[in-house]
C-alpha cells in the first residue's frame, strides 16, 4: 500500500492548484498509476508520475476538505496523512463589469486537463446576448479562417469580429432571437451608463482619500522651497568642498611623516610576527615529502584563514608562492591516489588531504588550477576498478599459458595435484574476495560524503562499474570451467582468450569442479556481507546455480560410467526376497545411486545463503535431474542387455534334439543349489540359458518394483519425482524383457517343436495302419519330457517366469499338432484312438500354460481326426488316457503346480 504525504504551499487552493505528492510505493513506472483522487475528484488525467517517490497533479473543481487517494497496480490504494482544502471557484470579473480596483486584463494561463482546459478564463463573460447556446454546435474555427483571416470570435481580443462570434456560437439561433439578444445588449449598456454616478457614490471614500494624499504632498514641497530655496543641495556641497581643502593644507606634512613611521614599524613587526608565513613554502614542501599531509593541510588552512584576503603586497606574494607549492603537492597527491596497488585506508588518507587542499586553494586564489575539475575520490574508484580488471586478465593469462605450455605433459602429471584451472579459480576468487570489498567500501565513502569533493557524485557510473567487475569475474570463471570447446569459443568475445582444453584434462577437471564451486561460494558469502544491490549479487548467484547444475551433471555422469561397468563383476548371486531369480545387480545399482545422491547433496544440491533451489518446478535443474536419471536407468538396462546377449558371445548355446532320432539330449545339469535363494556354484560356469533367465528376472523385478523404489529414493532426498524418466526406463526394460524372452523361447521352443514331426513318423509310422494301443506314442512322451526339462530349468531360477516362457512354447506345440493332424488323410480305428489319447494328454498336462489360441489349436487337432471316434472308441480312449496318466503321474504333477 502506498505510504505518502501530499503538500502544496498552503495545503489548500482553488481548482487547478499544483499539488506535489511524495512518499513510497507510488508505482514503478507511469503505467503503474491507476487512480488519483483529490477531495473526491478524479485527477488522474492531470497527474504526472515522476518517480516511485513523487507524483505531481492539479486539483479539480472540488470544494471542501478531503483526502488525497493514490491507487497503483503494485502497491494498491493509499491515503495521504495530510488533507487538502478545495476553495471552489473564484468570482470572475468580465470586461463589462465595474470594479473599484485594478484588474490585470492579461489572458490567464490555463493548464491542460486532458484534451480540454479545466477552468475557463476569468475574463470570459457569459453570452453577451443573454441567449442560451443549447442546441448550437460550436463551429470549427479552422473552417472559417478563409472568410475571417484576421478576426477572432473572442470578446477579449482586439480583433474581435461580431460576425465570427455569431457564426461560432449562434449558428442555429433564429433571427428573431438575435434581435431580442441585441435589445438585451442595448439595455445592459444603457444601464451601465446610468450607473456611473452610483458607482462614484459607492466608492467616494477611496476617491477622497487619494485627493487628501495629493494635497498633503503639495503643501510639504512648497514649505521646503520657501525655507531652503529651489536648489538647497548646491550650497551644502560648496561648503563641504571648502572644508576639505583647508584641512589638507594644514595636516599634509604631519600625516606624511606619521604614515612613513607607521609603515616602518608595521614592516618590522610583520617580519617578527609572521615568521610562520614566510617559512611556509619550504615547510609544506618538506612535510609533503615526509608524508605528513595532515600537517600540510592544517598549516595551509591556517595561512589561508589569516592571509587569504590580505591586501599587503608582500603577504600576497608569499601566499602566491605557497599556492604554487600546494598545487604541486596536489598533483603529487593525485598521482599517488590513482597509483595501484595500495590499501583503501591509504587511498582514503590521500583523498581527504587532496580534497582539503583543493577546497582551501579554491578560496580566494586566482592561480590557474588545472586540477579544479578533477574528482580525486572518483579517480581513485576508477583506478581501483581498472586495476582489479587488469589483475583478473593477468591471472587468467598466467594460468592459461601454463596449461597451454604443459599440455603435452598432462598425461604424466600427478592426479592428486589440482589442475591449473582449479588453481586459477582459487586465485581469482581470492582476488575478487579481497578487491571487490575494497572497491565497494571506497564507493560508500564517496557517496556518503566522507570523500566527496565539489563535483556531483555519479551513482549510475559506479553501479555499472561494480556490475562490470562482477560480470568479468564470472566470465573468467566460466571460461575456466567450461566443458567443451564450443562453450569456450562462445565466450571468446568477452575475454579475448580461450583456455586450451583437452579431453584428458577435462575429465580430470570434472572431479575438481566441486572445489571450484566451494571457492566461488566463499567469495559470494563475502559479497553478501557487503550488502551489495540485488543485481550485482544475482550475477554471481546465477553463475553459482549454473556451476551447481554442472557439478550435478558431472556426478551423475561419473555414476553412469560406473553403472555401465556393473556387469563386469556380476557374480549371479540371487538374494531378492520378494522376487526369486533376480540377482544382486539391482541392489548394487541402488547402492551406487545412493552414494551418488549423497555426494550430490553434499557438494551442490543443498543451497547455501542466497542461492536458488535447483529443483524448482519447470526449472533447468529439474529437467537436468530427469535427464540424468533417465540416462542412468537406461544405462542399467544396457548392462542387463549386455549380460544377456553380449557378455559371452563365444559360448554357443546347445539345442535340444530328439533322443529318438539317435542324438542325445545335451541338457546340462543344473548348477543351481537348492534353498530359498539359489546361487550358482563358484566352481562351475553359468550357462547362457541361466543367464537369460536371471536377466529376465532382473527385468521383471525392475519393472514391477525396483524402478518405483528408485523414484521414492529420489523423493526421499528432496528431488521432484521424475515420472518421465521412470516411465522411459520401464518402457525400455519391458522392451528388453520381450527381446530376451523371444530369444529364450526361440532357443528352447524351436528345437522342441522341430522334433515332433520326425519323432511322430519314426520307423515309417502311418496313422491309417492298425497298431497296438494302450500307451502314449513316443513323440508325445518326448514332448512332455522336453517341456519338463524346460520347466525345471525355469522353476529353479525364477518360478514367476513359468507362464511368460511356457505359454508361447505350448502355443507353438499346439499349432504344430494341429498342422500335423490336419495333414493326415485317413486314420485307422486304432490310429484315431491313439491320436485322440496323445492330443488329449498333452492338452490336459499343459492346460495351465495354454491360452485361448492354444486351446483352439488343440481342438483343431482333435477335430482333424477322420473319421470321428465312435462312442466305443471314445470309451476306449478314456480308459487308455487314465492308464497313461497313472503311469506319467510324476511328469503331470510337475505341470499341475501353479507358479507363485
Amino acid at each position: 500500500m502506498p505510504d505518502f504525504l501530499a503538500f502544496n504551499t498552503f495545503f489548500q487552493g482553488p481548482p487547478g492548484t499544483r499539488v506535489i505528492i511524495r512518499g513510497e510505493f507510488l508505482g514503478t513506472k507511469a503505467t503503474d498509476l491507476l487512480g488519483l483522487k483529490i477531495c473526491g475528484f478524479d485527477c488522474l488525467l492531470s497527474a504526472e508520475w515522476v518517480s516511485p517517490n513523487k507524483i505531481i497533479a492539479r486539483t479539480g473543481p472540488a470544494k471542501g476538505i478531503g483526502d488525497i487517494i493514490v491507487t497503483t497496480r503494485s502497491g494498491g490504494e493509499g491515503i495521504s496523512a495530510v488533507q487538502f482544502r478545495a476553495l471552489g471557484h473564484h468570482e470572475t470579473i468580465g470586461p463589462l463589469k465595474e470594479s473599484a480596483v485594478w484588474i490585470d486584463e492579461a489572458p490567464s494561463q490555463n493548464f491542460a486537463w486532458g484534451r480540454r482546459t479545466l477552468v475557463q478564463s476569468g475574463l470570459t463573460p457569459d453570452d453577451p446576448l443573454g441567449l442560451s447556446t443549447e442546441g448550437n454546435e460550436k463551429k470549427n474555427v479552422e473552417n472559417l479562417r478563409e472568410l475571417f483571416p484576421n478576426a477572432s470570435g473572442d470578446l477579449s481580443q482586439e480583433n474581435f469580429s461580431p460576425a465570427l462570434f455569431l457564426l461560432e456560437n449562434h449558428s442555429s439561433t433564429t433571427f428573431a432571437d438575435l434581435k431580442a439578444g441585441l435589445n438585451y445588449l442595448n439595455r445592459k449598456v444603457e444601464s451601465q451608463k446610468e450607473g456611473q454616478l452610483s458607482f462614484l457614490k459607492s466608492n467616494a471614500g477611496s476617491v477622497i482619500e487619494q485627493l487628501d494624499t495629493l494635497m498633503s504632498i503639495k503643501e510639504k514641497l512648497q514649505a521646503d522651497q520657501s525655507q531652503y530655496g529651489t536648489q538647497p543641495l548646491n550650497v551644502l556641497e560648496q561648503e563641504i568642498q571648502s572644508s576639505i581643502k583647508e584641512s589638507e593644507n594644514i595636516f599634509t606634512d604631519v600625516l606624511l611623516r606619521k604614515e612613513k613611521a607607521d609603515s616602518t614599524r608595521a614592516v618590522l613587526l610583520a617580519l617578527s610576527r609572521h615568521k610562520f608565513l614566510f617559512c611556509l613554502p619550504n615547510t609544506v614542501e618538506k612535510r609533503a615529502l615526509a608524508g605528513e599531509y595532515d600537517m600540510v593541510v592544517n598549516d595551509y588552512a591556517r595561512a589561508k584563514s589569516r592571509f587569504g584576503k590580505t591586501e599587503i603586497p608582500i603577504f600576497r606574494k608569499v601566499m602566491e608562492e605557497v599556492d604554487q607549492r600546494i598545487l604541486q603537492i596536489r598533483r603529487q597527491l593525485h598521482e599517488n591516489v590513482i597509483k595501484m596497488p595500495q590499501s583503501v585506508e591509504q587511498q582514503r588518507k590521500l583523498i581527504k588531504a587532496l580534497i582539503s587542499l583543493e577546497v582551501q586553494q579554491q578560496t580566494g586564489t586566482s592561480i590557474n588550477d588545472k586540477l579544479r575539475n578533477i574528482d580525486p575520490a572518483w579517480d581513485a574508484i576508477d583506478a581501483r576498478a581498472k586495476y582489479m580488471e587488469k589483475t583478473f586478465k593477468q591471472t587468467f593469462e598466467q594460468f592459461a599459458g601454463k596449461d597451454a605450455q604443459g599440455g603435452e605433459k598432462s598425461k604424466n602429471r600427478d592426479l592428486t595435484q589440482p589442475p591449473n584451472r582449479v588453481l586459477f579459480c582459487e586465485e581469482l576468487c581470492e582476488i575478487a574476495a579481497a578487491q571487490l570489498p575494497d572497491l565497494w567500501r571506497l564507493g560508500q565513502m564517496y557517496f556518503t560524503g566522507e570523500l566527496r569533493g565539489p563535483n556531483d557524485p555519479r551513482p549510475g557510473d559506479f553501479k555499472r562499474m561494480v556490475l562490470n567487475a562482477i560480470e568479468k569475474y564470472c566470465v573468467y570463471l566460466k571460461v575456466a570451467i567450461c566443458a567443451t570447446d564450443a562453450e569456450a569459443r562462445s565466450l571468446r568475445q568477452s575475454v579475448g582468450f580461450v583456455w586450451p582444453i583437452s579431453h584428458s584434462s577435462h575429465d580430470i577437471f570434472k572431479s575438481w569442479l566441486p572445489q571450484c564451486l566451494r571457492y566461488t561460494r566463499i567469495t559470494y558469502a563475502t559479497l553478501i556481507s557487503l550488502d551489495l544491490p540485488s543485481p550485482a549479487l544475482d550475477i554471481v548467484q546465477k553463475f553459482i546455480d549454473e556451476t551447481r547444475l554442472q557439478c550435478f551433471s558431472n556426478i551423475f555422469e561419473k555414476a553412469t560410467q560406473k553403472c555401465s561397468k556393473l556387469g563386469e563383476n556380476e557374480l549371479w548371486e540371487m538374494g531378492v526376497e520378494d522376487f526369486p531369480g533376480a540377482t544382486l545387480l539391482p541392489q548394487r545399482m541402488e547402492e551406487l545411486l545412493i552414494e551418488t545422491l549423497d555426494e550430490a547433496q553434499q557438494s551442490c544440491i543443498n543451497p547455501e545463503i542466497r542461492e536458488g533451489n535447483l529443483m524448482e518446478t519447470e526449472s533447468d535443474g529439474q529437467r537436468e535431474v530427469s535427464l540424468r536419471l533417465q540416462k542412468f536407468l537406461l544405462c542399467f538396462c544396457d548392462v542387463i542387455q549386455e549380460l544377456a546377449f553380449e557378455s559371452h558371445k563365444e559360448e554357443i548355446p546347445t539345442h535340444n534334439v530328439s533322443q529318438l532320432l539317435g542324438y542325445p539330449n545335451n541338457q546340462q545339469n543344473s548348477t543351481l543349489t537348492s534353498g530359498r535363494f539359489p546361487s550358482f556354484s563358484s566352481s562351475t560356469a553359468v550357462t547362457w540359458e541361466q543367464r537369460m533367465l536371471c536377466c529376465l528376472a532382473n527385468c521383471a523385478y525392475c519393472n514391477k518394483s525396483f524402478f518405483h523404489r528408485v523414484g521414492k529414493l529420489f523423493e526421499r532426498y528432496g528431488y521432484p519425482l521424475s515420472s518421465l524418466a521412470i516411465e522411459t526406463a520401464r518402457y525400455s526394460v519391458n522392451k528388453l524383457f520381450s527381446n530376451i524372452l523371444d530369444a529364450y523361447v526361440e532357443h528352447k521352443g524351436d528345437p522342441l517343436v522341430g522334433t515332433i514331426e520326425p519323432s511322430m513318423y519314426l520307423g515309417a509310422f502311418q496313422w491309417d495302419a492298425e497298431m497296438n494301443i494302450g500307451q502314449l506314442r513316443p513323440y508325445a512322451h518326448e514332448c512332455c519330457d522336453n517341456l519338463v526339462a524346460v520347466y525345471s530349468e525355469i522353476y529353479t531360477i525364477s518360478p514367476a517366469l513359468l507362464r511368460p516362457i511356457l505359454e508361447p512354447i505350448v502355443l507353438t506345440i499346439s499349432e504344430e499338432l494341429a498342422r500335423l493332424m490336419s495333414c493326415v488323410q485317413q486314420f485307422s480305428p486304432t490310429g484315431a484312438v491313439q491320436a485322440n489319447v496323445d492330443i488329449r494328454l498333452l492338452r490336459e498336462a499343459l492346460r495351465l500354460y495354454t491360452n485361448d489360441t492354444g486351446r483352439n489349436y488343440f481342438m483343431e487337432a482333435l477335430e482333424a481326426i477322420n473319421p470321428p471316434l465312435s462312442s466305443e472308441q471314445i470309451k476306449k480312449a478314456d480308459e487308455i488316457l487314465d492308464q497313461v496318466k497313472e503311469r506319467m503321474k510324476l511328469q503331470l504333477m510337475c505341470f499341475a503346480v501353479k507358479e507363485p
Side-chain angles (χ1 to χ4, degrees):
M1 176 180 293
D3 181 16
F4 61 90
L5 294 175
F7 59 89
N8 65 353
T9 307
F10 303 105
F11 303 100
Q12 64 183 11
T17 301
R18 187 171 183 262
V19 177
I20 301 176
I21 302 172
R22 298 184 184 273
E24 297 179 348
F25 311 112
L26 299 181
T28 58
K29 52 186 177 180
T31 57
D32 200 14
L33 183 62
L34 300 179
L36 174 60
K37 291 185 178 181
I38 302 178
C39 296
F41 189 83
D42 190 358
C43 302
L44 180 62
L45 292 178
S46 68
E48 178 186 355
W49 186 88
V50 180
S51 68
N53 306 104
K54 182 178 179 181
I55 297 175
I56 300 176
R58 296 276 185 174
T59 60
K63 189 173 183 181
I65 300 176
D67 294 325
I68 299 177
I69 303 174
V70 175
T71 305
T72 61
R73 182 176 287 104
S74 58
E77 183 178 286
I79 303 176
S80 91
V82 179
Q83 291 184 321
F84 185 81
R85 180 191 297 273
L87 302 180
H89 293 280
H90 284 300
E91 181 182 3
T92 59
I93 301 176
L96 302 179
K97 187 170 183 179
E98 300 166 346
S99 175
V101 297
W102 176 260
I103 300 299
D104 186 7
E105 295 183 359
S108 61
Q109 299 295 328
N110 298 328
F111 57 87
W113 185 279
R115 295 177 61 88
R116 302 180 180 178
T117 56
L118 175 64
V119 181
Q120 296 294 331
S121 173
L123 299 178
T124 302
D126 297 334
D127 189 70
L129 300 179
L131 300 175
S132 173
T133 59
E134 184 176 359
N136 289 278
E137 296 182 357
K138 190 169 183 179
K139 295 292 183 179
N140 190 355
V141 180
E142 298 295 334
N143 299 332
L144 302 175
R145 286 191 182 276
E146 296 180 359
L147 297 176
F148 303 93
N150 299 319
S152 173
D154 189 357
L155 289 171
S156 62
Q157 300 298 325
E158 295 181 358
N159 57 345
F160 171 72
S161 174
L164 182 57
F165 173 79
L166 293 177
L167 287 173
E168 288 181 354
N169 299 279
H170 295 282
S171 60
S172 301
T173 305
T174 62
F175 183 72
D177 291 340
L178 291 176
K179 290 176 63 179
L182 180 60
N183 294 331
Y184 169 78
L185 183 60
N186 290 331
R187 289 195 302 272
K188 189 173 182 181
V189 172
E190 292 297 331
S191 64
Q192 288 184 355
K193 290 181 180 180
E194 294 174 357
Q196 291 179 356
L197 182 59
S198 62
F199 172 76
L200 292 175
K201 289 180 180 180
S202 61
N203 296 281
S206 298
V207 176
I208 293 173
E209 182 180 356
Q210 295 167 7
L211 291 174
D212 290 343
T213 302
L214 292 174
M215 293 301 296
S216 176
I217 293 173
K218 182 180 178 182
E219 291 175 358
K220 289 183 179 181
L221 181 60
Q222 290 176 351
D224 289 342
Q225 288 180 352
S226 62
Q227 184 177 356
Y228 300 106
T230 56
Q231 296 180 348
L233 295 179
N234 294 338
V235 178
L236 180 60
E237 183 181 4
Q238 291 176 1
E239 293 297 331
I240 292 174
Q241 292 294 337
S242 177
S243 299
I244 292 174
K245 185 176 180 180
E246 187 65 26
S247 63
E248 289 179 353
N249 293 333
I250 296 174
F251 295 103
T252 298
D253 294 338
V254 177
L255 292 176
L256 287 176
R257 288 193 300 271
K258 184 178 182 300
E259 182 178 356
K260 185 176 181 180
D262 291 342
S263 298
T264 303
R265 285 194 298 270
V267 170
L268 294 175
L269 183 62
L271 290 174
S272 60
R273 179 185 294 179
H274 303 297
K275 181 180 179 181
F276 160 76
L277 176 63
F278 295 110
C279 297
L280 186 59
N282 291 331
T283 302
V284 295
E285 192 172 43
K286 291 179 180 180
R287 287 179 174 173
L289 293 175
E292 299 175 353
Y293 297 108
D294 293 338
M295 298 297 297
V296 174
V297 172
N298 292 334
D299 291 345
Y300 186 61
R302 178 183 171 190
K304 291 291 289 186
S305 63
R306 295 181 59 183
F307 306 103
K309 297 181 180 180
T310 182
E311 297 296 332
I312 301 175
I314 186 63
F315 289 171
R316 293 182 63 181
K317 185 176 181 180
V318 174
M319 285 304 300
E320 289 177 359
E321 178 65 22
V322 172
D323 288 337
Q324 292 294 337
R325 300 290 178 89
I326 292 296
L327 186 59
Q328 295 177 1
I329 294 173
R330 285 175 56 198
R331 292 193 184 99
Q332 181 183 356
L333 278 174
H334 188 268
E335 293 176 356
N336 293 337
V337 163
I338 62 177
K339 184 179 180 180
M340 297 297 295
Q342 60 178 316
S343 65
V344 175
E345 292 300 323
Q346 179 66 17
Q347 275 188 313
R348 173 176 170 272
K349 177 182 177 181
L350 297 177
I351 292 170
K352 294 188 72 173
L354 187 55
I355 292 175
S356 299
L357 291 176
E358 181 180 0
V359 172
Q360 294 294 337
Q361 194 165 32
Q362 288 180 357
T363 305
T365 183
S366 59
I367 64 173
N368 184 15
D369 189 358
K370 296 181 179 179
L371 300 176
R372 187 181 300 273
N373 296 324
I374 294 178
D375 192 341
W378 179 256
D379 291 344
I381 293 172
D382 184 64
R384 184 167 288 277
K386 291 180 179 178
Y387 173 74
M388 179 168 54
E389 184 175 346
K390 179 181 178 182
T391 307
F392 286 167
K393 185 176 181 181
Q394 289 177 347
T395 306
F396 177 84
E397 293 176 349
Q398 175 187 355
F399 284 92
K402 290 181 180 179
D403 229 13
Q405 295 173 2
E408 298 179 355
K409 303 178 182 179
S410 60
K411 295 183 180 180
N412 300 324
R413 65 182 308 277
D414 187 1
L415 298 180
T416 60
Q417 296 296 326
N420 285 326
R421 288 201 280 176
V422 179
L423 297 176
F424 166 72
C425 292
E426 181 181 8
E427 182 70 18
L428 191 70
C429 290
E430 290 180 357
I431 294 173
Q435 296 192 20
L436 277 172
D438 290 345
L439 177 64
W440 180 255
R441 284 196 295 269
L442 190 62
Q444 294 306 302
M445 294 178 189
Y446 175 66
F447 289 106
T448 55
E450 181 179 356
L451 301 180
R452 186 183 302 173
N455 299 328
D456 294 332
R458 292 180 278 183
D461 294 342
F462 180 71
K463 180 180 179 180
R464 285 190 294 272
M465 188 180 294
V466 172
L467 292 178
N468 181 66
I470 295 178
E471 286 176 355
K472 287 288 186 182
Y473 162 70
C474 293
V475 166
Y476 280 115
L477 288 178
K478 284 181 181 179
V479 173
I481 69 174
C482 62
T484 62
D485 291 332
E487 295 179 5
R489 286 192 297 270
S490 66
L491 295 171
R492 181 189 293 271
Q493 295 180 352
S494 301
V495 182
F497 190 86
V498 177
W499 198 290
I501 298 177
S502 63
H503 294 291
S504 58
S505 64
H506 178 65
D507 294 338
I508 296 173
F509 175 74
K510 284 183 179 179
S511 61
W512 291 91
L513 187 59
Q515 188 77 0
C516 297
L517 177 61
R518 188 173 66 85
Y519 295 147
T520 309
R521 279 175 162 173
I522 294 173
T523 304
Y524 186 46
T526 303
L527 298 182
I528 292 175
S529 64
L530 299 177
D531 196 20
L532 290 173
S534 296
L537 296 176
D538 290 343
I539 297 174
V540 186
Q541 179 192 350
K542 181 180 178 182
F543 170 74
I544 289 179
D545 290 345
E546 292 175 353
T547 307
R548 290 168 59 199
L549 193 58
Q550 187 173 345
C551 284
F552 177 83
S553 301
N554 292 342
I555 292 172
F556 257 82
E557 183 179 352
K558 181 175 66 175
T560 304
Q561 294 175 356
K562 291 182 179 180
C563 180
S564 65
K565 299 178 181 179
L566 289 177
E568 298 177 359
N569 301 319
E570 174 60 35
L571 301 177
W572 303 101
E573 298 180 21
M574 292 176 283
V576 181
E577 294 184 2
D578 54 348
F579 207 97
T583 67
L584 297 181
L585 183 65
Q587 180 180 342
R588 291 167 57 196
M589 190 271 276
E590 184 178 6
E591 293 173 355
L592 174 60
L593 185 59
I594 292 175
E595 177 185 349
T596 302
L597 292 176
D598 288 335
E599 182 182 357
Q601 289 290 115
Q602 295 174 3
S603 62
C604 59
I605 293 301
N606 291 332
E608 295 187 1
I609 180 172
R610 207 184 179 280
E611 290 183 1
N613 182 11
L614 295 182
M615 301 297 113
E616 291 181 352
T617 306
E618 299 298 329
S619 64
D620 293 339
Q622 185 173 355
R623 287 189 289 270
E624 185 67 19
V625 168
S626 177
L627 178 61
R628 290 298 171 180
L629 175 60
Q630 179 177 330
K631 289 184 177 181
F632 185 82
L633 297 180
L634 292 179
C635 178
F636 182 68
C637 295
D638 294 339
V639 171
I640 298 176
Q641 181 178 358
E642 182 179 356
L643 289 173
F645 293 106
E646 300 178 3
S647 297
H648 302 280
K649 291 183 178 180
E650 68 279 1
E651 179 181 346
I652 302 176
T654 58
H655 291 176
N656 292 328
V657 294
S658 174
Q659 298 179 6
L660 301 175
L661 300 179
Y663 300 96
N665 185 7
N666 191 16
Q667 287 284 349
Q668 296 185 6
N669 295 328
S670 175
T671 58
L672 299 174
T673 61
S674 61
R676 185 174 183 182
F677 299 116
S679 300
F680 296 107
S681 174
S682 59
S683 60
T684 59
V686 182
T687 64
W688 182 75
E689 293 87 347
Q690 292 168 341
R691 289 199 309 270
M692 295 278 280
L693 291 174
C694 290
C695 290
L696 283 172
N698 284 336
C699 289
Y701 172 58
C702 290
N703 179 53
K704 180 180 178 181
S705 60
F706 181 68
F707 283 168
H708 178 70
R709 192 164 71 190
V710 169
K712 292 297 182 182
L713 179 63
F714 264 68
E715 288 184 334
R716 191 175 70 195
Y717 276 84
Y719 295 91
L721 178 61
S722 179
S723 301
L724 177 61
I726 299 297
E727 292 303 321
T728 302
R730 292 184 65 183
Y731 172 80
S732 179
V733 81
N734 286 337
K735 186 177 180 181
L736 177 61
F737 179 86
S738 299
N739 295 337
I740 299 175
L741 180 63
D742 292 342
Y744 186 83
V745 169
E746 181 181 356
H747 173 71
K748 290 294 185 180
D750 288 355
L752 191 150
V753 173
T755 62
I756 294 178
E757 184 175 3
S759 300
M760 179 183 293
Y761 294 104
L762 184 67
F765 172 80
Q766 296 295 329
W767 288 105
D768 57 354
E770 292 295 331
M771 63 192 72
N772 295 326
I773 58 176
Q775 60 183 359
L776 202 64
R777 287 282 299 158
Y779 79 91
H781 265 296
E782 184 181 36
C783 186
C784 287
D785 292 340
N786 289 337
L787 284 174
V788 168
V790 175
Y791 182 96
S792 175
E793 186 177 61
I794 299 171
Y795 190 85
T796 306
I797 300 294
S798 179
L801 298 176
L802 286 172
R803 178 171 294 278
I805 296 176
L806 290 180
E807 190 172 280
I809 296 178
V810 172
L811 177 62
T812 307
I813 292 174
S814 63
E815 183 180 5
E816 179 67 11
L817 288 175
R819 183 186 69 83
L820 293 175
M821 292 297 106
S822 63
C823 293
V824 178
Q825 299 294 330
Q826 185 70 29
F827 287 86
S828 65
T830 55
V833 173
Q834 184 65 51
N836 183 275
V837 172
D838 295 344
I839 295 172
R840 288 173 61 190
L841 178 68
L842 290 175
R843 183 180 68 175
E844 293 182 12
L846 304 175
R847 68 182 183 278
L848 293 179
Y849 304 100
T850 306
N851 54 23
D852 293 339
T853 305
R855 284 189 286 271
N856 293 334
Y857 281 131
F858 278 121
M859 186 60 66
E860 290 179 8
L862 291 174
E863 293 175 352
I865 300 175
N866 186 26
L869 273 68
S870 63
S871 58
E872 293 181 359
Q873 288 177 318
I874 293 176
K875 183 177 180 180
K876 182 64 176 178
D878 292 339
E879 293 175 358
I880 298 173
L881 183 61
D882 292 337
Q883 296 173 4
V884 172
K885 286 182 179 179
E886 185 65 26
R887 290 194 296 268
M888 296 182 63
K889 184 176 180 180
L890 184 61
Q891 291 95 322
L892 297 180
M893 286 176 60
C894 174
F895 294 116
V897 178
K898 295 183 179 180
E899 72 272 11

